Amino acid sequence: MHSQARIPNGIHNAIDYERLAPQAMDAGRHAYVAGGCGWDATLAANRAAFGRWSIVPRLLRDVRGGHTRLMLGGQQLAHPFLLAPVAHQRLAHPDAEIATARAAEATATCLVASTLSSVPLEAIAQAGGSAAPRWFQLYLQPERAHTLALLARAEGAGYQAIVLTLDASIQLPSRSALAAGFAMPADCTPANLAGFPPAPASALPPGASRIFQGAMRHAPTWDDLAWLLAATRLPVWVKGVLSPQDARQLQGAGVAGIVVSNHGGRSLDGAPASLAQLPAVRAAVGSSYPLLLDGGIRSGQDAFKALALGADAVLIGRLQMYALAAAGALGVAHMLTLLVEELHACMAQAGCAALADITPGALLPCPPAAAA
C-alpha cells in the first residue's frame, strides 16, 4: 500500500505524517515500524521525555539574521536534522531508500544509510547525488572479512563517515507487532548482505544459555571497536550510547562522535529515554565533543529541546518512514522542510538567532502534573 507522489491533505506539521501513517501502510507493517520491543515502555518514554520541558520565550531579540547552519564532523550542514539509519524501507514504499536519498539531496540533509537497507548502498549513494553529506551505518558482521567488504564498498561509494551501531545485538520483538502477525516480507531482505552466507548455526551444549552463549556469541567487544577504528580511513561514530561511562571510554578510544540512542525503543525495553540521558552524556564528554540525539523527535520544538540539553543535531527515524509511506520522496522532503521551519519558528520566539544560542537556559522543567 502506498500513495501517489503528492502531499496528502491535512499535513500541517511534521507530526501529522505519524497520524496518517496507518492509512498509508499495511496494518502489520505499520505495527512493526511504529512498535519498539516488549511492552514498548522505552518507546513511550522517548516521547514523554520531551513533555517534561518547556521553552522560555524571549522578547526584543533581533533574529533577522537567523539561520540553522552548523559544522558537524568537519562538514557544514544547512540544518541540524539527519535522516536516521532506518532498515527495511521497502516496508514503507516500493522506492525504499532511493526515494529517501532523493529527499535528502533536495533538502541538503545528511542521510545515514543502514546496513539493512532494502537497496544496495551504492544505489543509495547514486540517488543522493552530491548536494549533502551521506554516512553509512554499520553492523559488525560475524566474519571480519564481510565487515571489511562493507567498509570498502562504503568508502568507494563516497560515504563520509561510519556510524557503528552497538546496542542491537539482541532485539526482542514488539508485542504489538507480534499481535498484528507481522513477518518480514521476502522483498525486504537486506540488499547489502546478499553475498554473505549466514553464520553457521552451532548447537548449544546442555545447560548453555540461548542468550549468553547463543545470541551474544558474535556481539561486539572493545577489541572489535579498536580493530574497526584501524580498518577504515573514515571517521567512526558510535550509535546506541546511554551510559556516561561508556561515552567517556568511547571518546578516549578515538571515536569521532556519539549518538545518544536507545535504538528507538527497540533494544532494551525499560531503558531510559534518550533525551533523559543526554545531559549526563554531554557532561561526561565535554562541551565540544560531537553528540547527536536519536529517539522520539517529532517536531522542531522537540529538536530545540534536544539541542538545548546538549545535542549538536538530531536523527529522524520513524517520521522518515511515515512520510515515505505517505508520499515517497516528496513526503520525506516535505516532512524535513516542515521540521526545519518549525525549528526556525521556535528559535525566533525563544530569541535564538543561531544554534549556538540554544542553551539549557532556554528551557524550564515542567511541573510533574504537566508532564503527562
Side-chain angles (χ1 to χ4, degrees), residues 145-163:
H146 297 161
T147 299
L148 290 173
L150 288 172
L151 287 172
R153 289 171 59 191
E155 292 174 0
Y159 289 85
Q160 294 141 336
I162 299 298
V163 179

Side-chain angles (χ1 to χ4, degrees), residues 50-337:
F50 290 94
R52 299 191 180 100
W53 296 95
S54 58
I55 301 169
V56 181
R58 298 300 302 272
L59 306 179
L60 303 176
R61 299 295 183 94
D62 186 354
V63 297
R64 288 173 293 180
H67 65 86
T68 54
R69 295 187 297 275
L70 72 153
M71 292 294 293
L72 186 67
Q75 298 173 305
Q76 180 159 317
L77 305 183
H79 56 76
F81 296 97
L82 288 75
L83 288 169
V86 182
H88 313 302
Q89 292 195 16
R90 193 162 282 133
L91 287 172
H93 194 279
D95 293 340
E97 290 85 0
I98 299 299
T100 305
R102 290 170 178 162
E105 180 185 31
T107 57
T109 299
C110 180
L111 167 66
V112 187
S114 173
T115 290
L116 305 181
S117 58
S118 299
V119 298
L121 62 91
E122 293 85 357
I124 299 171
Q126 185 175 8
S130 58
R134 57 178 172 268
W135 299 355
F136 180 70
Q137 177 271 335
L138 176 70
Y139 287 115
L140 291 176
Q141 301 301 300
E143 297 291 337
R144 283 186 171 180
H146 297 161
T147 299
L148 290 173
L150 288 172
L151 287 172
R153 289 171 59 191
E155 292 174 0
Y159 289 85
Q160 294 141 336
I162 299 298
V163 179
L164 176 66
T165 297
L166 290 179
D167 64 343
S169 297
I170 300 176
Q171 292 189 63
L172 301 179
S174 166
R175 292 176 63 88
S176 55
L178 291 173
F182 174 78
M184 190 64 67
D187 64 349
C188 292
T189 301
N192 293 318
L193 307 183
F196 303 158
S202 56
L204 294 174
S209 166
R210 289 196 305 144
I211 304 300
F212 293 124
Q213 289 81 42
M216 296 297 288
R217 186 171 68 253
H218 298 295
T221 66
W222 287 100
D223 287 342
D224 292 315
L225 175 62
W227 171 81
L228 176 67
L229 291 171
T232 179
R233 58 179 176 79
L234 297 177
V236 175
W237 293 62
V238 166
K239 180 174 180 286
V241 180
L242 293 174
S243 160
Q245 293 85 357
D246 286 345
R248 280 194 295 268
Q249 194 166 353
L250 288 164
Q251 182 184 27
V255 168
I258 282 172
V259 184
V260 178
S261 171
N262 52 36
H263 214 80
R266 290 182 177 272
S267 183
L268 171 61
D269 200 30
S274 299
L275 188 74
Q277 288 299 99
L278 177 60
V281 174
R282 171 52 77 195
V285 299
S287 60
S288 60
Y289 188 66
L291 205 60
L292 306 184
L293 186 282
D294 168 66
I297 299 287
R298 296 291 188 275
S299 68
Q301 291 86 350
D302 291 343
F304 184 97
K305 294 174 183 179
L307 297 171
L309 291 173
D312 294 305
V314 300
L315 294 170
I316 305 300
R318 285 181 176 86
L319 269 189
Q320 176 188 164
M321 288 288 273
Y322 297 149
L324 179 63
L330 182 62
V332 178
H334 182 234
M335 177 271 296
L336 288 165
T337 299

